[in-house]
Every structure is written in C-alpha cells, then in structure tokens.
Amino acid sequence: MSDQWHAVALSRALGRKPKRAFFAGLPVVLFRDGQGKAAALHDRCPHRFAALSDGRTRNGEVECPYHGWRFGADGRCTAIPGLVGSLPHFRTRRFAVTEAEGAIFLSEGAPEKAPYVHCLQGQHVIVRHVTSSTRSTLIDTAENILDATHTHFTHKGLLRGLSAKRYMVAVEVTGGPGWVEARYTGEDRAQGVISKLLEGERVKTVGRYRHPGIAELEYWGPKGMVLATTFHLRQTDAHTVEGIGWLIGPKQGGLGYIKALAFRPMFRIALEQDRRVLSTALENARHAPVAKPVIGPLDFLREDIARIQAGEVPLAAATPRRFQIEL
Ligand code: FES
Ligand SMILES: [Fe+2]
C-alpha cells in the first residue's frame, strides 16, 4: 500500500484555502506552495494539535489558526510569531504529492511511477470528474460499481430497460497481480436511458478492479471504447468510502461534448441509488447477529477483490473462469 498513489481530491477543489482530507488513517492538510504545487502535511499542528486546515495559506506556507506557527511544503516550521531569536527545529509529517488528470494523489512512500488514473489516460478524450462519499466499506463499494446484476433492480429504467427481458451473456473472469476483471459479451444494446443516449451498439463490457481501490467500467462498441468510468476509492474511516471518479468518452466530433453534458447528471442519479442501498446494508451489517455476506453464484469478482486487498494474487490469475448468465 505504501508505495501506491491514492487520489484524495480534485485539483480544482484546492485553491487559495487549505483543505482537509483523510489519508492513511490521518487527517491531512492540502495546500498550494509558492509555485502553485500541491503539498500535503499531517493536519495537526505539532504545537497544540490545532487543525492547520482551519488556518490559511500565506506565501505558499500554511499558517496555524491557533498561534500562527507556519509550515512549508516540506513540513518544517518556518515561523513562530512573536519569537525573538533563532527558530527551533519543529516539523510535521509530510506526504508525497502529485497531480495528474485533474486530481491530487498522495502516497505514504515515494512511488517511482506516475499514478494510474484511468484507462484512456493521456489520450484526447472528454473527461468529467465526479466525487462521492458513501457510508460503506471499500469492498462493498468497489463490488457495487462492478456488479452487473444489480442494475436490473437498483437502476431499473436508468441503466436497464423497464422490461424484465434478459439476454444470454458470456462472462470471462481473468486477473493478474493486483487486478481482476470480468468481460461480458453478447449483451444486447442496453435499454436504459443512459445507454440509449450515450451508446450505440455494445459489443463488450469490462468491469475491472485494480489495487489499491480502483474500480473501472468500460463499454465497447464495434469501433472501440465508447464510454468508461474509473473510480478511485478510499476507506476514510470505518464506515465511509470516498471516491473520485473520471467519466470518459471519445470526442466523436462535437457529439461527445453533448453526451458529456447529459452524462454527469444521470450518473449522479445512479450514484445516489447505489448510495442508498449501500448505506442501508452497512447499517444492517452492524446489527446482531454478526454474519458474513453470502457469496452468490453470480458474484464473480468478490473473492478476488478481497484477495487483492489482502495483498494476494487473485484466483483468476492462475485459473480464468467462464460463465453463461442471463443479463
Ligand atoms: S497549535 Fe498551532 S500554533 Fe499553536
Ligand atoms: Fe449501481
């Protein structure tokens, strides 16, 4: 985990004011240094533990709201207002920070590689950002994003048609170190409002989980990928999962922009439908008796996601699986 990048905020959400985020079990203050580069420190002033994020940014440093101690991007205390004489050495913990594709990423370590952001990274595509906060667990939230069978119920009419008609679909589950994916082929063009508006013919859908908490969906037409969503998820406390998502589509002349306008609000509706189910499920799980959820015969990814989270290689890496289902 420590050598991974984790998306913690959208770049546009960090302006002149410092901002609090939760990362690695700690409150972290994000701010911009003199060059506009994002910096991240433990959001706890070493003096009396005030939250630095309640203070302000001054000349690229963050100023504590309590006694005004100031800290630079490297975590060093650079000023103690009122002090006459030399400054003692105090510091607060800093985190590695990088920005990519409109988001701020943090790491506890020092990753060598740039962060993986989304499946069409670096290409000329239309991107819309979304953020979410869900009362749930990371595995339940990731599974929910990748779960094809709930769409008939939770998103009836939106992602699926109103009829109960289903089609025979082939599912292939494959994986490797740090990832597992399910490929669905043979679907009819999906009949939900979103699909009608945004897609043409659908030849395959891919749902993929990647370490350390990335859930992505790809919709493929005969000429390539037509739509994709990549969600970076983080468990910020025992019952909250925060997500930063990229909604991505090709430009298709100007048409892509029109689609993108329609996409985000509808996506928000779907997100809200999922949040409701997930938060109720979390509350239910906390009532006695303590139990483990049942892994159903169509829950293709659950166990492998759990293995990846535990730092193990998913079963699908050695043994790809094939299924036929009605979707
Ligand atoms: S608590 Fe931060 S300066 Fe005193
Ligand atoms: Fe959903």
Side-chain angles (χ1 to χ4, degrees), residues 34-169:
Q35 278 75 51
K37 262 184 72 182
L41 305 177
H42 187 187
D43 192 14
R44 188 171 86 175
C45 178
H47 182 220
R48 287 294 176 275
F49 293 176
L52 298 171
S53 57
D54 287 337
R56 55 180 181 162
T57 311
R58 277 181 60 160
N59 302 325
E61 297 178 336
V62 65
E63 180 188 78
C64 180
Y66 199 176
H67 311 91
W69 289 23
R70 257 187 267 161
F71 298 87
D74 61 358
R76 288 224 332 246
C77 176
T78 57
I80 295 180
L83 172 71
V84 178
S86 61
L87 192 71
H89 289 289
F90 295 122
R91 58 179 312 122
T92 184
R93 182 172 171 192
R94 66 172 281 273
F95 295 89
V97 189
T98 191
E99 285 185 78
E101 306 269 334
I104 297 169
F105 292 77
L106 301 189
S107 176
E108 288 181 83
E112 282 166 21
K113 287 200 281 182
Y116 172 83
V117 185
H118 61 71
C119 51
L120 292 171
Q121 197 166 345
Q123 297 182 40
H124 284 287
V125 288
I126 296 168
V127 175
R128 290 291 176 272
H129 294 102
V130 280
T131 56
S132 69
S133 178
T134 309
R135 289 180 60 77
S136 188
T137 61
L138 184 62
I139 189 162
D140 281 346
T141 309
E143 185 195 39
N144 165 263
I145 292 170
L146 303 176
D147 170 1
T149 60
H150 83 291
T151 55
H152 285 285
F153 294 89
T154 312
H155 309 298
K156 195 177 175 77
L158 190 67
L159 300 180
R160 294 282 164 191
L162 290 168
S163 85
K165 188 158 169 47
R166 289 183 178 236
Y167 298 87
M168 200 58 118
V169 165

